[in-house]
């Protein structure tokens, strides 16, 4: 069974940085495209960043985080990362890691594309 566990969230001042990690087990990690989403109370989960399976060079970002966040993966460690720089209060949310099996080199920005989700890690950015 596939399990995803996020870590690295916390409290940070605006302008600061955090690095989130998502450790995967129960899968052939290199065959899974990975994504990061975030959600605040009463709002729908929104796309943040995604990275393709295999090469790890194909990635996409939401416009609100482009240039500030970087998604990466270490297939040898079955882990995907989200480096978050220049954080803003609007980035405050629970951040979720997601995985979906993919034969292509594509990444996916829709939540409905993913089959497995972690439980989330809280990121709070103070002003």
């Amino acid at each position: 069974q596939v399990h995803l566990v996020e870590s690295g969230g916390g409290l940070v001042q605006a302008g600061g940085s955090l690095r989130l990690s998502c450790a995967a087990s129960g899968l052939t990690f290199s065959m899974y495209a990975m994504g990061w989403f975030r959600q605040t109370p009463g709002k729908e989960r929104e796309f943040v960043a995604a990275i393709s399976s295999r090469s790890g060079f194909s990635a996409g970002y939401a416009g609100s985080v482009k240039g500030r966040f970087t998604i990466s993966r270490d297939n040898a460690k079955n882990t995907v990362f989200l480096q978050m720089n220049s954080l803003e209060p609007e980035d405050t949310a629970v951040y979720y890691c997601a995985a979906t099996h993919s034969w292509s080199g594509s990444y996916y920005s829709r939540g409905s594309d993913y089959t497995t989700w972690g439980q989330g890690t809280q990121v709070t950015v103070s002003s």
Side-chain angles (χ1 to χ4, degrees), residues 39-113:
Q39 187 171 25
T40 56
K43 298 185 181 298
E44 295 184 352
R45 194 168 298 182
E46 68 171 336
F47 169 73
V48 176
I51 191 166
S52 65
S53 61
R54 304 197 180 197
S55 72
F57 276 103
S58 180
Y61 300 88
S64 59
V65 306
K66 184 79 172 181
R68 299 188 297 120
F69 291 10
T70 302
I71 187 171
S72 61
R73 63 192 296 163
D74 186 339
N75 286 352
K77 297 180 179 178
N78 285 12
T79 303
V80 63
F81 304 94
L82 185 67
Q83 178 66 47
M84 306 185 295
N85 299 326
S86 301
L87 283 162
E88 304 168 351
E90 292 75 18
D91 296 317
T92 296
V94 177
Y95 282 70
Y96 296 90
C97 177
T100 190
H101 188 270
S102 177
W103 290 100
S104 74
S106 301
Y107 59 85
Y108 305 93
S109 60
R110 298 183 303 174
S112 59
D113 289 325

Side-chain angles (χ1 to χ4, degrees), residues 11-22:
L11 175 64
V12 65
Q13 292 183 346
S17 298
L18 285 173
R19 189 181 77 160
L20 306 184
S21 298
C22 174

